[in-house]
Amino acid sequence: RSHFGPGGVYYREEVYKLLGLLLPDDALVQQLTAVRSVGARAWFDDDTGEAWVTDKFRIENIPDQAALLRIVTRILLDQNFPPLKEYPGDDASRAREALHQGAASASETKYYAEKARTEGFTPMTDNSEAEMMFQSLTPFIQGITTFSAVEGAAFVGAIKGGGQEKFHEAFRNPPMTTSAIIEPSEGREKPPVLEMPAVPGDPFMSDSAGELGLKLWVFTLGDPGASLDISSSWKNDRYVFFPEDEMTSGVVWDVVLDSKEAADKFQEMAQGMAAALAGKEDAAPLAVPVETLEKRFLQVSRVAPDRVRFLNVAKKETAEKLK
């Protein structure tokens, strides 16, 4: 809650549900809390810059020593390369988390390797409680959870191969998009904020899902192959979560891809999703509101050859105005 600000976590929960990243009964706070707590020996609080160990922590155990090294690394990185004073947005925040967590995980892995060389230690991987918890999470939460450790470690490994100066420069001038983490050769600057259509009321919030969000959106639809194919073409995106009246709200999400062909594929998947939620076999028509089984309206439209708009709103007239 402190990370996203007052109400921010609940806004995001609603947005993720409207976009199809979370199921109607999913609780974002509980799932994110479980990720950080179940089976953990230690964790780092990226809002305070402090780290904690649990009451099960035993310094004489090598895995606990490795966990301590990891969180101390996070503390030092945070002190020397603190976060921006103004929150940069979710995508940029996830990119920074991946960079710092990747470096900390590398320190932990190096410690294990040293203990294996000098003492023959082999870490045990049995943590059934955490594994069972992780498998119960939605694909979206699993994806953003593993991103910082897996993609972050790969990114750190790639830049370390370029020498110490390149490694240090990554912390002085960190990647501002998850796209830059996934593809280290790409530029690290944030794309310009997309100009979005006027919505009925003052927006609750607006942000970018980024390449990671797009990848997980497609993956959630059950197509891992298309997930990588479409998300690697990400160029920019923006969603706006807004009130339609005192009781209802909606979201409009624009995605810009690097080619017409990639936009065609994303459009096709979005039309298929809209049709499925409406209980129809044929793809939803372009730029036409489709009523879902929950009495909401989904609409997919083509704003430009490389730009697709996805809507989930409570009123048909709202969809018609936001084509």
Side-chain angles (χ1 to χ4, degrees):
R1 291 187 179 93
S2 63
H3 182 77
F4 292 120
V9 70
Y10 300 107
Y11 290 155
R12 284 165 176 80
E13 179 180 302
E14 187 64 21
V15 167
Y16 298 156
K17 289 178 179 179
L18 292 176
L19 293 179
L21 290 165
L22 292 179
L23 298 174
D25 295 332
D26 286 336
L28 185 60
V29 169
Q30 284 85 338
Q31 291 203 25
L32 292 177
T33 301
V35 165
R36 292 199 173 209
S37 59
V38 176
R41 288 186 175 88
W43 73 91
F44 175 76
D45 184 339
D46 51 5
D47 291 305
T48 65
E50 299 175 343
W52 305 83
V53 297
T54 70
D55 56 1
K56 297 179 181 179
F57 182 86
R58 298 291 181 269
I59 191 61
E60 64 271 15
N61 296 335
I62 290 177
D64 294 44
Q65 296 168 14
L68 181 62
L69 176 61
R70 170 171 47 80
I71 62 173
V72 169
T73 302
R74 289 297 306 269
I75 291 172
L76 292 172
L77 287 173
D78 194 73
Q79 289 175 351
N80 287 278
F81 308 100
L84 298 174
K85 292 183 179 179
E86 184 176 344
Y87 186 65
D90 291 354
D91 194 51
S93 178
R94 287 170 184 152
R96 179 182 181 274
E97 166 73 11
L99 172 63
H100 285 223
Q101 180 63 18
S105 295
S107 297
E108 186 178 29
T109 300
K110 185 177 180 181
Y111 186 79
Y112 274 128
E114 179 65 16
K115 287 298 180 181
R117 185 183 66 82
T118 59
E119 302 179 23
F121 176 78
T122 302
M124 301 295 290
T125 58
D126 181 30
N127 193 343
S128 56
E129 183 185 15
E131 290 176 2
M132 289 178 61
M133 179 278 299
F134 185 78
Q135 293 303 321
S136 70
L137 301 175
T138 60
F140 173 66
I141 300 297
Q142 290 183 13
I144 61 174
T145 299
T146 58
F147 177 76
S148 59
V150 177
E151 299 284 4
F155 177 81
V156 167
I159 59 175
K160 285 183 75 174
Q164 284 292 97
E165 180 56 33
K166 185 175 181 180
F167 182 62
H168 294 159
E169 175 59 24
F171 291 93
R172 292 191 293 266
N173 182 30
M176 296 298 289
T177 65
T178 53
S179 178
I181 294 291
I182 297 169
E183 303 172 67
S185 61
E186 299 295 321
R188 296 181 184 173
E189 299 299 319
K190 289 179 67 175
V193 176
L194 283 180
E195 184 176 343
M196 297 294 288
V199 294
D202 291 334
F204 293 124
M205 67 164 294
S206 178
D207 208 333
S208 167
E211 181 172 338
L212 176 62
L214 178 60
K215 180 180 180 180
L216 296 174
W217 185 87
V218 180
F219 185 84
T220 300
L221 296 184
D223 195 336
S227 175
L228 180 60
D229 187 30
I230 294 175
S231 64
S232 62
S233 299
W234 177 90
K235 191 175 179 181
N236 202 350
D237 81 281
R238 197 79 188 168
Y239 66 77
V240 180
F241 178 46
F242 59 91
E244 292 184 72
D245 56 34
E246 293 182 356
M247 300 297 294
T248 62
S249 57
V251 64
V252 52
W253 184 32
D254 278 21
V255 178
V256 180
L257 299 160
D258 64 8
S259 69
K260 177 184 179 300
E261 291 72 24
D264 288 341
K265 293 178 182 178
F266 175 67
Q267 175 192 311
E268 182 179 349
M269 293 207 74
Q271 288 176 280
M273 175 188 178
L277 292 176
K280 301 181 183 299
E281 294 184 2
D282 296 332
L286 194 63
V288 175
V290 176
E291 188 173 9
T292 71
L293 301 176
E294 287 76 30
K295 305 300 180 184
R296 292 186 62 86
F297 292 91
L298 303 183
Q299 181 174 274
V300 181
S301 54
R302 198 65 172 260
V303 182
D306 61 349
R307 182 168 174 172
V308 180
R309 176 167 297 162
F310 178 82
L311 289 170
N312 185 335
V313 295
K315 299 178 181 180
K316 185 176 182 180
E317 55 266 32
T318 304
E320 292 172 340
K321 290 178 181 177
L322 294 176
K323 287 182 180 180

